[in-house]
Amino acid sequence: MLDAAPFLPAAAGVGYKPQHFADILADAGPVKWLEIHAENYMGDGGRPIAQLRHLSEQFAISLHGVGLSIGGEGPLDADHLARLKHLVGWLNPASFSEHLAWSTHDSHFYNDLLPLPYTDATLARVCDHINQVQDSIGRRMLLENPSSYLAFAESSWSEPEFLTEITRRTGCGLLLDVNNVFVSATNLDFSPQGYIDAFALDQVGEIHLGGHDEDEDDHGKPLLIDSHGAEVVDPVWALLDYTLAKSGPKPVLVEWDTDVPDWPVLAAEATRAATALERVPA
């Protein structure tokens, strides 16, 4: 039996950055919850932990992992999982999420979230790893859809089907990143609305937004890079509206991880997310 976590409100949240600590406490605007990256808070003390403890008294906290390598071929790192369990234990976050990706091979760790072929073998491995994580932390976790830049010829499942089957086998939930959907749809030439139509929206515990960079591939076609380093573009806001109209209100997060702006810029993005939520019938 998985423990119930605190409530994550169907409201606007932002990815927390320490340079915004004082601004958030002074005036958080529409922000009702914060996301932190788990790997930044696995130590035993210091200013980051002290600030996080203070923030957790006023805001719901979503814990987002980037280092478990859920899709890796090898076993999960036992030390990393133990540190995650300790963090979840004292922080008691409202949500924990990870990526449908891999970042380890043998003893090597890569600073990237790398794609997976959607095959039966991959499905079994990912489900085993998710079950191990959920058993360890005693929580239902959320799994995030990736940004894609290529498709594997051996894939036998579509991405929405693959994610839906993972939820059926493990009981995990989903984190729907609509910017990732838009990036993948542009790069792989499919309909982002069609992807949303096929997605298991009833299993979504969070929706994410972020900025991306625009480039071209070797054939001159648009190539989008998920960078979290710019404002959310209008087509992604429109895709959020499309999603919320189908899903109903959900917790919506604005991520900004590189070239992080001053707080008023990020707060303005959060205000736009809150406005989108206000248009959705409860």
Side-chain angles (χ1 to χ4, degrees):
M1 178 67 67
L2 302 179
D3 294 337
F7 177 68
L8 192 64
V14 296
Y16 170 66
K17 295 294 179 286
Q19 60 264 45
H20 297 149
F21 179 72
D23 291 312
I24 290 172
L25 292 180
D27 183 7
V31 173
K32 304 301 182 186
W33 59 283
L34 303 171
E35 179 198 81
I36 64 162
H37 287 176
E39 287 74 13
N40 293 335
Y41 295 90
M42 288 183 170
D44 292 328
R47 178 176 290 181
I49 299 297
Q51 289 184 341
L52 177 56
R53 288 186 184 276
H54 189 72
L55 290 168
S56 68
E57 295 172 355
Q58 301 186 43
F59 298 93
I61 303 295
S62 174
L63 188 63
H64 190 53
V66 296
L68 272 176
S69 194
I70 289 288
E73 289 190 347
L76 298 179
D77 185 289
D79 289 339
H80 188 105
L81 191 55
R83 290 192 295 271
L84 175 64
K85 180 179 180 180
H86 175 72
L87 176 56
V88 169
W90 72 257
L91 179 60
N92 194 26
S95 178
F96 170 69
S97 57
E98 252 285 359
H99 299 83
L100 180 60
W102 64 276
S103 54
T104 56
H105 182 67
D106 292 333
S107 60
H108 299 286
F109 180 83
Y110 303 98
N111 193 30
D112 289 290
L113 297 169
L114 301 167
L116 296 165
Y118 298 141
T119 65
D120 290 348
T122 306
L123 177 64
R125 182 171 69 248
V126 169
C127 289
D128 285 346
H129 287 168
I130 289 173
N131 285 332
Q132 185 180 352
V133 173
Q134 293 185 144
D135 289 345
S136 177
I137 66 175
R139 295 287 186 87
R140 182 187 196 224
M141 64 167 281
L142 306 180
L143 188 65
E144 179 178 353
N145 60 295
S147 293
S148 296
Y149 308 96
L150 53 84
F152 289 90
E154 61 264 43
S155 289
S156 55
W157 299 73
S158 73
E159 189 170 282
E161 291 171 339
F162 192 80
L163 287 163
T164 299
E165 183 64 13
I166 289 172
T167 67
R168 189 189 70 81
R169 294 192 187 190
T170 68
C172 79
L174 299 175
L175 190 165
L176 174 59
D177 190 315
V178 295
N179 181 66
N180 288 358
V181 173
F182 184 77
V183 165
S184 298
T186 301
N187 294 339
L188 303 183
D189 194 24
F190 63 80
S191 164
Q193 292 81 10
Y195 182 102
I196 297 300
D197 291 343
F199 204 83
L201 295 176
D202 59 324
Q203 300 298 320
V204 171
E206 294 181 28
I207 294 176
H208 282 196
L209 302 162
H212 57 254
D213 294 335
E214 298 182 4
D215 205 338
E216 292 183 349
D217 65 16
D218 293 340
H219 303 286
K221 294 183 178 179
L223 177 66
L224 303 185
I225 308 298
D226 181 34
S227 64
H228 295 180
E231 293 179 340
V232 180
V233 299
D234 287 342
V236 173
W237 286 115
L239 189 59
L240 173 67
D241 290 337
Y242 183 87
T243 302
L244 291 174
K246 296 178 71 67
S247 70
K250 299 281 186 180
V252 176
L253 182 90
V254 177
E255 297 181 284
W256 202 317
D257 296 323
T258 62
D259 297 324
V260 178
D262 292 338
W263 175 247
V265 176
L266 188 54
E269 293 284 90
T271 297
R272 192 165 180 179
T275 301
L277 283 164
E278 290 171 357
R279 293 194 292 265
V280 181

